Amino acid sequence: MRSGIVVGLPAGTWIEPDRMGTFGLEGWVIEFRQFELKVNNEKSAEIFQSIWHLPNHREFLTGTMDGRQIRDQLQALSMLADEAVEKEVRCHQVLYTLLDILYQPVERAPQTTEQAILQSIKYLEQYYYKPITRNELAKVAGLSPWHYSRKFRALTDKAPLEYLNRYRIYRAKERLIQNDGHMHDIAKQVGFEDAAYFSRRFKQMEGISPKHYVQVAAERQLCALSPLYAEILLALGVVPNSVVTVPMLLPPHQRLILEKHNVNMIPTSQYALDLEAIAEVKPQLIVGHTLQGEARSALMSISPFISGLSRDLIPAIAQLAAVFRKEEEAENLYRYLKKIDAQARERLKTIIQERRTVMVLRIEEDSYRYLGAHSLGLSRMIYRELGLTIPTPLNRGQYWFNPLDIETLPAIDPNFIFLEDRVMEGSDTRLMKEVLMKHPSWNRLAAVKNNRVYTIDTSLWIGCGPFGYPLVMEQIVAALTNEDSTNIQII
């Protein structure tokens, strides 16, 4: 993404920008609906809403324009509050300007045979639930059916329809594991018209029936896309085969636990999955958070992919327990965590009763943020499970970490400050930390004067799992009570 880019997307598309590549960019989101006129006879007609289909099976359209042009038009729009007709005309003008840019022909290099095959695979993976023939796929690739089959096998080591059936079985596994309907319904949802044929193909591929597969799903070679999910699985009694990790954000306790259970750690970047490394471990099931676009498509072609898991410990426990039929183990885990909470609240009783205020301040490369009291994860632990008090001026923050102007610190003046010097790839917070420490507002704070500022570890505190939970609680209690941190038994 760069300045001047126009992107056209179907409704409902999820966009997750690359934070490093798009930081600071601003723009507009413009929604429109497409209508068509249907003539019933010579005397009557009706208008109905239709779906905007992108050409050539593309997922999105892009174009480039002079940012000043659209800015001037949008600014003109904002000045026409009382001019309904002119505003309507200008709205259409802006929309058609953008659509004209998106539909301008783009000069492309001739498509190679491999690119043509990959294009047909995208089509196959998008419409796998519909009847698809080899001839149809060959037409998408622009090749003769015979030539297409030969090149497809050379690229994927599978015949086109064999690849299609494997992909359909992957999607069926996801629905089976998530108890997403009856066998007959699942078969139809993934493109098999006959449930008996689906069961035969499933058993040919897996060596077991669909029903038996559900019962042994926890014994498959699992790959977790985050150490949080690996921790939860281990606490539930399910040992994943592999886990994707960001080495700089892997706390010591996690590394020890993963090594103890012989979980293969797949190192990756903080902002991009190493898809080849994931494919190399040959997972039979992948579990992770919500992903969209090419990363999601790539993972779904590697194995069945259970996505949409929460990044917060408590709901993620329930989600994974439901997938692997570990509800009883989840209840035991919840009881354990509630016991940790109760023990911590007892030791913090005086601070809680006196409503002494606690602030979590994050230093980023070019800004400062504070932890809101109404979010998940660490926010839930500090302000709801422990019942600690956030400074009144910060109680309005609705997000996980909210923007902070350090000039306002004297008005906030918390009794305790937990300071996170955020760890991020390619980020250096030293200058911002130096600015904060030298700022007059900082040195006027009671927490600073009374040595009540405590540094926290991003890798442990942010997104901690059930094994890290008691460690974080112990550090919170030890800091606020001036106690020495005691050894705590880990589950």
Side-chain angles (χ1 to χ4, degrees):
M1 191 74 76
R2 63 183 185 278
S3 179
I5 284 289
V6 180
V7 183
L9 300 161
T13 303
W14 179 279
I15 306 173
E16 188 170 348
D18 177 353
R19 293 190 56 179
M20 298 300 291
T22 61
F23 190 84
L25 282 182
E26 296 180 345
W28 296 271
V29 175
I30 300 173
E31 297 183 5
F32 72 93
R33 292 182 176 88
Q34 178 174 298
F35 293 88
E36 293 184 17
L37 180 66
K38 181 180 179 181
V39 179
N40 297 321
N41 51 53
E42 292 182 357
K43 296 183 179 181
S44 69
E46 60 179 324
I47 296 176
F48 64 96
Q49 186 172 336
S50 61
I51 299 173
W52 182 45
H53 292 287
L54 277 62
N56 301 321
H57 314 296
R58 293 170 64 183
E59 296 179 356
F60 59 89
L61 299 174
T62 60
T64 306
M65 70 178 302
D66 182 351
R68 290 173 296 180
Q69 179 185 358
I70 189 67
R71 181 196 63 198
D72 292 344
Q73 291 192 34
L74 289 169
Q75 286 178 346
L77 273 176
S78 66
M79 299 172 67
L80 296 171
D82 300 325
E83 300 290 340
V85 175
E86 185 177 354
K87 188 172 184 179
E88 185 74 18
V89 172
R90 286 189 178 271
C91 281
H92 283 271
Q93 181 184 2
V94 171
L95 176 60
Y96 292 135
T97 297
L98 296 175
L99 290 175
D100 182 60
I101 291 168
L102 291 173
Y103 278 96
Q104 285 179 5
V106 179
E107 291 187 8
R108 301 182 184 275
Q111 193 176 46
T112 66
T113 301
E114 180 176 331
Q115 289 170 335
I117 298 296
L118 293 174
Q119 180 68 23
S120 75
I121 290 176
K122 276 190 175 182
Y123 177 86
L124 175 156
E125 292 178 350
Q126 184 175 359
Y127 299 106
Y128 68 91
Y129 55 91
K130 295 182 177 181
I132 295 178
T133 65
R134 184 189 68 159
N135 287 354
E136 183 180 351
L137 294 172
K139 185 176 180 181
V140 171
L143 302 172
S144 70
W146 179 84
H147 189 54
Y148 174 75
S149 294
R150 190 166 62 86
K151 291 298 183 181
F152 192 102
R153 184 179 287 278
L155 183 64
T156 67
D157 200 33
K158 289 179 175 61
L161 296 187
E162 180 187 357
Y163 185 100
L164 172 61
N165 281 328
R166 186 192 68 157
Y167 194 81
R168 285 171 168 170
I169 294 295
Y170 281 176
R171 308 291 73 84
K173 289 178 181 178
E174 295 163 356
R175 288 166 169 78
L176 288 166
I177 290 172
Q178 297 177 94
N179 195 26
D180 194 12
H182 297 294
M183 191 76 67
H184 177 73
D185 295 329
I186 290 174
K188 294 195 72 171
Q189 289 166 8
V190 300
F192 292 99
E193 285 299 321
D194 182 78
Y197 177 66
F198 162 68
S199 294
R200 288 198 304 272
R201 291 308 304 261
F202 193 103
K203 192 165 185 177
Q204 286 174 2
M205 287 185 61
E206 296 300 313
I208 54 177
S209 67
K211 185 177 180 180
H212 189 205
Y213 173 80
V214 174
Q215 297 169 353
V216 299
E219 301 171 15
R220 305 284 95 179
Q221 287 199 168
L222 305 178
C223 176
L225 295 186
S226 162
L228 167 63
Y229 306 135
E231 272 200 47
I232 294 173
L233 288 170
L234 289 169
L236 294 176
V238 178
V239 180
N241 172 261
S242 58
V243 58
V244 174
T245 65
V246 179
M248 65 186 296
L249 293 175
L250 191 68
H253 85 276
Q254 263 182 358
R255 182 178 295 278
L256 290 172
I257 291 166
L258 295 172
E259 289 175 347
K260 176 183 176 182
H261 290 87
N262 297 314
V263 180
N264 181 16
M265 287 175 270
I266 306 172
T268 193
S269 162
Q270 190 172 0
Y271 302 105
L273 291 172
D274 188 339
L275 297 169
E276 289 186 6
I278 294 173
E280 284 177 5
V281 300
K282 298 181 178 179
Q284 295 172 321
L285 180 63
I286 299 172
V287 295
H289 50 275
T290 300
L291 287 172
Q292 298 292 336
E294 292 184 5
R296 178 180 177 83
S297 298
L299 289 172
M300 290 176 70
S301 68
I302 292 171
S303 89
F305 177 30
I306 304 297
S307 64
L309 297 181
S310 173
R311 295 176 186 264
D312 185 39
L313 173 62
I314 301 302
I317 290 173
Q319 289 173 317
L320 286 169
V323 167
F324 297 107
R325 314 302 192 262
K326 295 288 184 178
E327 288 84 356
E328 185 177 343
E329 290 83 350
E331 288 301 318
N332 292 334
L333 183 53
Y334 285 139
R335 282 193 287 272
Y336 168 77
L337 296 176
K338 287 178 180 178
K339 181 180 178 182
I340 295 295
D341 295 337
Q343 291 173 345
R345 283 195 300 270
E346 180 63 27
R347 293 164 64 189
L348 294 171
K349 184 187 297 184
T350 301
I351 291 172
I352 294 169
Q353 290 175 345
E354 293 177 356
R355 299 187 63 80
R356 301 179 72 183
T357 56
V358 178
M359 175 186 186
V360 179
L361 195 161
R362 167 181 280 182
I363 304 174
E364 297 189 344
E365 187 175 35
D366 54 5
S367 64
Y368 306 100
R369 296 182 179 273
Y370 69 90
L371 181 70
H374 310 289
S375 189
L376 302 174
L378 185 60
S379 170
R380 174 182 47 75
M381 291 174 66
I382 291 177
Y383 299 117
R384 295 200 289 286
E385 304 298 350
L386 291 181
L388 294 169
T389 302
I390 193 170
T392 300
L394 303 184
N395 197 42
R396 65 180 181 274
Q398 297 298 311
Y399 303 107
W400 192 31
F401 277 93
N402 303 266
L404 174 72
D405 180 353
I406 58 174
E407 297 287 349
T408 64
L409 281 173
I412 298 167
D413 200 22
N415 298 117
F416 302 92
I417 296 176
F418 288 108
L419 190 66
E420 182 202 359
D421 195 357
R422 193 179 185 192
V423 178
M424 294 175 64
E425 285 182 357
S427 175
D428 188 345
T429 61
R430 287 176 294 181
L431 177 59
M432 293 298 284
K433 186 173 184 178
E434 183 180 346
V435 170
L436 176 66
M437 298 296 133
K438 292 182 178 180
H439 198 283
S441 297
W442 176 256
N443 293 301
R444 289 164 54 189
L445 299 178
V448 176
K449 293 178 182 177
N450 297 325
N451 294 320
R452 297 292 191 185
V453 180
Y454 310 98
T455 302
I456 67 175
D457 179 359
T458 295
S459 67
L460 174 61
W461 282 51
I462 306 301
C464 73
F467 296 99
Y469 193 94
L471 302 179
V472 174
M473 281 295 191
E474 179 63 24
Q475 290 185 9
I476 292 172
V477 172
L480 299 184
T481 60
N482 263 344
E483 297 176 8
D484 291 331
S485 181
T486 59
N487 292 326
I488 193 161
Q489 184 178 359
I490 306 299
I491 57 174

